Amino acid sequence: MKRAQQGTTRLVIGVTKEISKHIFLIVMALVSIYPVIWVVSTAFSPGQNLATGWHLVLWIFPIPNSPTLAQFQFLFNPKLISFSLWAKNSLIITLSTVVASLAVVLPAGYCLSRRVFPGRSSIMFSFLLPTMFPGVVTIIPLFLIYAHFHLVNTYLGLIIAYTVGSLSLSIFIMKNAFDGVPKDLDEAAKIDGASDIRVFWQILLPLTLPSIATVALWAFMGAWLDFALAHVMLENNNLWTLPLALYSFITATSVEYGTFSALSLLMAIPVFIVFMLFQKYLVTGLTAGSVKG
Amino acid sequence: MANPTEKNKDLRKILGQVARNKTAYLYVLPGLVGLIFLVLYPFAFDIWISFTNWNVYHNSRLGNLAYVGFKNYLLVFLNPTYGFVKISENTALWTIGCVLPTVALGLFLAIILNSKIHGKGIYRMFLIVPWAMPSFITLLVWRGMLDYEFGIVNKVLVEFFGPKSRVDWLGDPHYAFLSMVVANIWLGYPFMIIIFSGALQGIPNELYEAAAIDGAVGWREIRYIIVPLLKPTLLIAILLGSIWTFNNFNAGFLLTGGGPGISTSIFIVQAYNLAFMLFNFSESATYAFIAFLILATVGILWFRYTGVIGGGKKESQ
């Protein structure tokens, strides 16, 4: 009798625990996605000032009164704003950064992983250094240097800066990835007469594709989403990138949260999808092999 | 003491090695050149600016730039109108106030997600959304949600507690700081969940079972099994989290811009505002360099006392 009672008590405790875990997880999941819910409903509501066009469902969820695509149509209306121009600027800068970053990172990662040469570890350490510098420490002198070399208000200046900015992490991701490919494979291929370059293209690259994609993604995000540097370097609004445009919608004289939300979604969705696909590799890279996953 | 011939020999040896590893150096060269011209040189330049009087009235274009020694540092440290104490307090509070809750929340969520529970995959997917969304965008979204007049947070408050419950989230210094911290915790915990989940999966199940037999369940399990075993991961997470938070320009700038006044300003935001709002480059450089010194000191002490290296070297566990 007593034992049965104990059994039920334990069961009740177990169930309560399980339920409280679920409640906590549900609350945290809601907190996590709430801003996204807000952006989506603002993007599909008419009007700009946030106060109208939607109502609260279940006390906390904003739902548009009459869902509309007006905000998106406004963005794509060529007469009103220069969305297509800004998107083009962003694309040119971002894609160039990705290509430049891969061109620098792949050989460097390869050689730090496969070659032994004097100064190797100090070179590796120096690539890590920038992670310790507050970004602004270099932005200010960089602006003065760029002004001197007429690189302010140019794509090239930004592309170079973003490429270098992506190096610290990317070189480590690639070095770790190449380290993960057994050296026996290279040696076997070399015995069969393959050159170093062939080993690199035909063995190492295909085996490290996920990491290469991660490096590309990292460079892409650095350039696509940068605000601080672009804010300083691009004074001419014909050269603006999307983040500057986005910022201007809510800080200019008129606050246009509707347009802001629509543009946010357009900018964030591609990043979100790719990010979800590659998150595993990004974590490995970000912690640079120090944390075993 | 090396005599000239020995010196020559050394030099020849070095040159020989460089020649032998020509391709290796060639491969790392572009990255190194970029690093030197865009990171190290600007950094040195920044230190130099902090010893000059570079501002709107004195600069290289006007040709009246002068070396002023430690004047900027003395002014920042000794002149109370520069707000150095306030900004240091803010930065310390900001870093600790963001990192500790972020790590704790991330660890706690990772532990729950690691237990036997239904719907893990779905919860996980929702929980990492803040990390997958670009922080530049979500911070501006937070700014919209916290708007005094139109923001949804105040709307919901009014819904529940009546019209007098509005809070000036970004205009009142204390609430503004709180808003920044909360938004940054929101941005940070998903990453912690991910790295702690990875580390938790490395703990063998038998260990939990053996511990459970010895009575270590619930909080005790966390205290005596999980935390000690996760120590290396925890130390790395705290270090990385602190560096990122200390340097997080977006989170410090996009919500409040450091204001009202300097009430929510942290080092990095102050350096930015001084340079690009007031064009006082030398004072900005002074702030930036002080910030770097603080971070470097804390980082080195952290390395020394915990023995954790942030990257490159694999930890042998």
Side-chain angles (χ1 to χ4, degrees), chain B residues 123-150:
Chain B
Y123 284 129
R124 203 183 127 94
M125 210 177 73
F126 280 120
L127 285 170
I128 65 169
V129 163
W131 191 50
M133 293 295 282
S135 73
F136 163 72
I137 293 174
T138 46
L139 280 164
L140 291 178
V141 168
W142 273 90
R143 184 165 154 164
M145 297 202 311
L146 294 170
D147 190 275
Y148 180 70
E149 224 167 313
F150 305 126

Side-chain angles (χ1 to χ4, degrees), chain A residues 22 31-32 115 118 140 231 257, chain B residues 23 25 123 144 186 189 272 284:
Chain A
H22 276 289
V31 170
S32 300
R115 301 289 176 83
I140 294 152
H231 192 46
Y257 265 106
Chain B
T23 44
Y25 289 115
Y123 284 129
W186 180 88
Y189 65 76
Y272 187 90
S284 158

Side-chain angles (χ1 to χ4, degrees), chain A residues 17-18 21-22 24-26 28-29 31-36 38-39 49-51 54 56 59-62 104 107-108 110-112 115-119 123-124 126-147 157 160-161 164 167-168 171-172 175-176 179 197 225 227-228 231-232 242-244 246-247 250-251 257 260 264 267-268 271-272 275-276 279 282-283 286-293, chain B residues 17 21 23-25 27-28 30-32 34-35 37-43 45-46 49 54 61 105 108-109 112-113 115-119 123-134 136-138 140-145 147 150-152 155-156 159-160 186 189 191 194-195 198-199 218 233 236 240 243-244 246-247 249-250 253-254 268 271-272 275-276 281 284-285 288-289 291-292 295-296 299 309-315 317:
Chain A
K17 240 184 175 174
E18 179 91 12
K21 272 183 190 173
H22 276 289
F24 182 64
L25 284 174
I26 289 170
M28 287 310 296
V31 170
S32 300
I33 61 162
Y34 194 74
V36 180
W38 180 84
V39 174
N49 72 359
L50 298 178
W54 51 273
L56 286 172
W59 306 290
I60 55 170
F61 296 104
V104 174
Y110 165 78
C111 128
L112 290 173
R115 301 289 176 83
V116 182
F117 54 93
I123 289 175
M124 223 142 71
S126 60
F127 278 124
L128 264 184
L129 267 183
T131 50
M132 289 297 285
F133 294 170
V136 162
V137 174
T138 49
I139 283 186
I140 294 152
L142 202 60
F143 172 75
L144 299 173
I145 294 165
Y146 270 27
I160 296 172
V164 174
L167 290 185
S168 289
I171 284 180
F172 276 91
K175 184 201 169 277
N176 285 343
D179 281 348
I197 292 175
L225 299 171
F227 167 74
H231 192 46
V232 170
L242 287 174
L244 295 181
L246 191 66
Y247 187 67
I250 60 165
T251 49
Y257 265 106
F260 165 86
S264 296
M267 279 178 68
V271 178
F272 180 77
F275 209 84
M276 283 303 212
Q279 43 132 328
L282 261 184
V283 176
L286 282 170
T287 51
S290 299
V291 180
K292 292 230 166 133
Chain B
Q17 265 171 342
N21 296 295
T23 44
Y25 289 115
Y27 284 171
V28 288
L32 274 182
L35 197 72
F37 282 102
L38 275 90
V39 181
L40 298 183
Y41 174 64
F43 180 64
F45 195 74
D46 195 58
I49 293 173
W54 195 314
R61 217 174 289 172
L105 196 58
F108 191 58
L109 283 165
I112 294 180
L113 287 177
S115 67
K116 282 186 196 119
I117 190 158
H118 290 288
Y123 284 129
R124 203 183 127 94
M125 210 177 73
F126 280 120
L127 285 170
I128 65 169
V129 163
W131 191 50
M133 293 295 282
F136 163 72
I137 293 174
T138 46
L140 291 178
V141 168
W142 273 90
R143 184 165 154 164
M145 297 202 311
D147 190 275
F150 305 126
I152 190 163
K155 276 269 162 65
V156 171
E159 192 91 349
F160 277 97
W186 180 88
Y189 65 76
F191 180 72
I194 292 171
I195 61 172
T233 316
I236 276 283
L240 280 179
I243 294 175
W244 290 340
F246 190 96
N247 284 342
F249 175 75
N250 279 354
F253 184 78
L254 291 174
I268 186 163
Y272 187 90
F276 299 111
F281 287 101
S284 158
F289 188 54
F292 167 77
L295 195 64
I309 302 293
K313 283 185 191 165
K314 283 230 159 94
E315 215 167 286
Q317 283 174 327

Side-chain angles (χ1 to χ4, degrees), chain B residues 72-228:
Chain B
N72 292 317
Y73 290 87
L74 289 175
L75 278 176
V76 165
F77 284 129
L78 299 178
N79 192 336
T81 53
Y82 281 62
F84 180 75
V85 175
K86 177 69 185 157
I87 289 160
S88 310
E89 268 173 25
N90 283 349
T91 311
L93 209 61
W94 160 250
T95 308
I96 296 167
C98 287
V99 173
L100 292 185
T102 306
V103 169
L105 196 58
L107 179 62
F108 191 58
L109 283 165
I111 290 171
I112 294 180
L113 287 177
N114 197 44
S115 67
K116 282 186 196 119
I117 190 158
H118 290 288
K120 256 190 244 191
I122 296 169
Y123 284 129
R124 203 183 127 94
M125 210 177 73
F126 280 120
L127 285 170
I128 65 169
V129 163
W131 191 50
M133 293 295 282
S135 73
F136 163 72
I137 293 174
T138 46
L139 280 164
L140 291 178
V141 168
W142 273 90
R143 184 165 154 164
M145 297 202 311
L146 294 170
D147 190 275
Y148 180 70
E149 224 167 313
F150 305 126
I152 190 163
V153 175
N154 276 347
K155 276 269 162 65
V156 171
L157 279 180
V158 168
E159 192 91 349
F160 277 97
F161 305 106
K164 281 199 177 146
S165 58
R166 280 171 187 277
V167 172
D168 195 357
W169 292 108
L170 300 176
D172 174 271
H174 292 105
Y175 282 114
F177 197 75
L178 183 72
S179 306
M180 265 167 71
V181 170
V182 169
N184 199 43
I185 293 172
W186 180 88
L187 282 173
Y189 65 76
F191 180 72
M192 297 297 168
I193 294 178
I194 292 171
I195 61 172
F196 289 133
S197 293
L200 280 171
Q201 275 153 23
I203 301 177
N205 263 330
E206 295 85 55
L207 212 60
Y208 293 119
E209 284 156 20
I213 291 168
D214 289 341
V217 287
W219 288 112
R220 277 200 184 152
E221 183 184 78
I222 295 177
R223 170 75 186 78
Y224 293 106
I225 309 292
I226 295 176
V227 170

